[in-house]
Amino acid sequence: MKLTHEAPRSQGAANAIKRAKQLVSISYAPKKPLPILNKIFNDDGKPQYYRSYAVPGFPLKGIVYSSVRRVEKIVGYNISPETYITALSNPNSVIYNRRIVRDKQGVHAYYGIVCSCFLSYVLQLPYKQRCAGFLRDPAMQKLTISDFDELRLCDAIMDPKHVAIITDIERDENGKVQYISVSESCMPFSRETRFSREGFKAYWLDDPLHDYGFYRYARLDDITYTPTPFAPLEGESADGANINRTLMPDFGNKANYTLGKDPVELSVFDPAFDTVAVTDPDGKTENYPVRDGKVILQPEKTGFYTACCVRGEEKSDAVEWCVTELSFTTDKASYRPGETVKIRYSNPAGDPLVGWQYIRVDNEAWTESGYFFDMGSEGEFTVPMTEVLADTELFLAARNAYGCYISARIPVKRED
């Protein structure tokens, strides 16, 4: 039987597939035990989740699964492939040394991705969307599929608990679908899986724990793609994927730190260097002594920083990071159900706003959210009051050259 891979119907569809392949094919080997999550099933078919570790040195593929709601460090949005890979290359980074453990959460690693964020990134939404949010998104058109032959590349598979996307379809000489490849974020790593026609039905449509439907994204043709040497696809170059082995920030290279919250910890791995020179956003350079192999900074300015190790006239390669400060206010402290929340925001960096998010205080679960395609760095807008009965907080997200970053969280109380 001769099989033909279906061609993307537009450059946007081809770009979406490339974005998915970045997340499932990115390769690395951890320097220390890497926090991961696993899912197993009991005799009755119910899943159980347990935290584990990937062993150092073993080659891995795909972004680690972790619902990083507490810290909002989503790979693809807040964390770039460069930041992810350079953090994994630093044995003193947060991904090894700030494990997140909380009951009833699919979370362990400090950086990670989940299924809804995976699909959000592949479809190039300005900021991530929840699974339930996708089902209500007017840009997601629900399909009535009577036969798998009607499926197309980049059709999404969704229910309120999980989302995935079709990234390859193989047809026989008669145009009949024989194999379907699905890309998704799942435990423990993002993956692309090739299913036979029968296997696809058994796994996706006959699963008693889910009620999947098929959806088509209306803005698929608008999706763009930018190669990165830190996650090169077939035919792309890894040239430029330089990792500084002398000096490493704990968040990884080109990461965002929050002003007044996140100290910047620089690890020096060459004992020949005893000083680190740091250049602030105003161009002022200050030298800091290395103590126990580290320099720990408390930046007092927002903006972009660089640092390098120095010894006399000798300098190491530089590392970079940014310090951010995004603030907003609400018009009231509490709201009745059905009211709108008026938000006034200001970003001194001039970076555009990309989204807003409610989060529960008790379990840090994402609830209602929204995103913006064209929003400036200062202004007003309204969002609906959350329908969640538990205590919630609201935060905003903006984007700069290193990725998305968030504001402080403001409590939003309900009036019963």
Side-chain angles (χ1 to χ4, degrees):
M1 180 171 55
K2 182 180 179 180
L3 297 175
T4 301
H5 294 271
E6 183 168 306
R9 65 184 183 272
S10 69
Q11 186 58 53
N15 291 338
I17 293 170
K18 289 180 180 179
R19 293 170 74 89
K21 289 190 179 297
Q22 277 186 333
L23 299 179
V24 301
S25 65
I26 187 170
S27 301
Y28 50 92
K31 296 294 183 183
K32 293 174 66 176
L34 175 65
I36 61 172
L37 292 161
N38 290 278
K39 179 165 67 174
I40 59 174
F41 290 87
N42 300 329
D43 290 341
D44 58 5
K46 293 183 179 180
Q48 283 191 332
Y49 307 92
Y50 66 95
R51 295 177 177 89
S52 182
Y53 294 87
V55 297
F58 189 83
L60 303 172
K61 283 181 61 178
I63 303 297
V64 66
Y65 185 101
S66 186
S67 179
V68 288
R69 294 171 285 190
R70 182 183 304 181
V71 294
E72 205 71 5
K73 298 294 185 182
I74 305 160
V75 179
Y77 279 101
N78 313 92
I79 304 301
S80 70
E82 177 174 356
T83 302
Y84 183 65
I85 292 296
T86 52
L88 286 162
S89 301
N90 178 5
N92 297 326
S93 78
V94 292
I95 202 166
Y96 301 120
N97 297 332
R98 293 195 197 176
R99 299 183 302 277
I100 303 175
V101 177
R102 181 154 184 167
D103 292 340
K104 299 181 181 179
Q105 276 193 328
V107 58
H108 199 191
Y110 198 82
Y111 292 169
I113 198 169
V114 294
C115 65
S116 59
C117 300
F118 183 99
L119 185 59
S120 298
Y121 176 80
V122 170
L123 299 181
Q124 204 176 10
L125 302 188
Y127 204 54
K128 48 101 171 121
Q129 177 75 281
R130 293 187 306 146
C131 293
F134 274 114
L135 298 176
R136 296 191 296 266
D137 193 324
M140 300 302 300
Q141 303 167 349
K142 187 169 185 179
L143 306 175
T144 301
I145 298 292
S146 58
D147 190 281
F148 292 158
D149 296 341
E150 300 172 30
L151 291 173
R152 297 164 70 177
L153 290 176
C154 300
D155 284 347
I157 308 166
M158 302 196 299
D159 81 348
K161 297 183 288 186
H162 187 60
V163 295
I165 188 167
I166 295 173
T167 46
D168 193 17
I169 295 175
E170 298 169 67
R171 299 180 186 269
D172 62 21
E173 299 93 330
N174 299 315
K176 191 174 185 64
V177 170
Q178 296 296 334
Y179 292 94
I180 301 171
S181 295
V182 179
S183 294
E184 60 185 325
S185 171
C186 56
M187 301 178 190
F189 305 103
S190 302
R191 69 188 183 192
E192 182 182 44
T193 308
R194 181 176 184 250
F195 293 91
S196 68
R197 187 183 182 96
E198 296 75 18
F200 182 85
K201 179 181 182 298
Y203 187 83
W204 291 102
L205 300 186
D206 297 341
D207 181 354
L209 301 178
H210 292 273
D211 183 21
Y212 290 115
F214 299 107
Y215 294 77
R216 193 163 289 163
Y217 184 51
R219 292 191 287 264
L220 188 65
D221 294 346
D222 299 332
I223 295 173
T224 65
Y225 167 76
T226 302
T228 169
F230 290 90
L233 304 184
E234 184 178 358
E236 297 176 356
S237 174
D239 293 346
N242 301 317
I243 298 175
N244 191 329
R245 305 292 181 180
T246 301
L247 180 65
M248 293 185 175
D250 59 336
F251 277 21
N253 198 38
K254 299 182 180 178
N256 287 311
Y257 292 76
T258 303
L259 183 69
K261 177 184 175 183
D262 300 321
V264 179
E265 180 182 293
L266 302 173
S267 293
V268 178
F269 294 98
D270 187 342
F273 289 104
D274 59 4
T275 303
V276 172
V278 178
T279 302
D280 72 13
D282 297 326
K284 179 183 176 182
T285 300
E286 187 170 349
N287 291 333
Y288 295 86
V290 178
R291 293 189 173 91
D292 298 324
K294 294 181 181 179
V295 170
I296 300 177
L297 308 172
Q298 297 283 351
E300 298 180 354
K301 301 177 184 177
T302 59
F304 293 89
Y305 290 73
T306 62
C308 64
C309 295
V310 296
R311 181 181 58 182
E313 298 298 319
E314 184 181 0
K315 294 183 179 181
S316 73
D317 291 339
V319 294
E320 306 174 33
W321 69 90
C322 185
V323 177
T324 65
E325 183 181 29
L326 174 61
S327 61
F328 74 101
T329 58
T330 57
D331 58 329
K332 297 194 300 181
S334 61
Y335 299 85
R336 294 188 301 273
E339 282 193 304
T340 58
V341 180
K342 181 184 291 186
I343 294 171
R344 174 72 187 177
Y345 70 98
S346 176
N347 190 342
D351 298 322
L353 200 68
V354 295
W356 56 272
Q357 176 74 66
Y358 284 107
I359 190 167
R360 289 180 56 147
V361 174
D362 56 351
N363 62 7
E364 294 159 351
W366 292 321
T367 60
E368 296 92 341
S369 64
Y371 54 80
F372 308 108
F373 282 99
D374 186 16
M375 187 72 90
S377 60
E378 184 174 358
E380 292 183 354
F381 65 97
T382 61
V383 301
M385 176 58 185
T386 178
E387 298 178 359
V388 174
L389 298 179
D391 290 340
T392 58
E393 295 175 331
L394 178 65
F395 67 82
L396 308 183
R399 182 176 58 245
N400 63 14
Y402 294 164
C404 297
Y405 57 92
I406 66 170
S407 68
R409 298 174 179 180
I410 292 182
V412 180
K413 296 184 179 179
R414 294 174 58 94
E415 295 178 4
D416 297 326

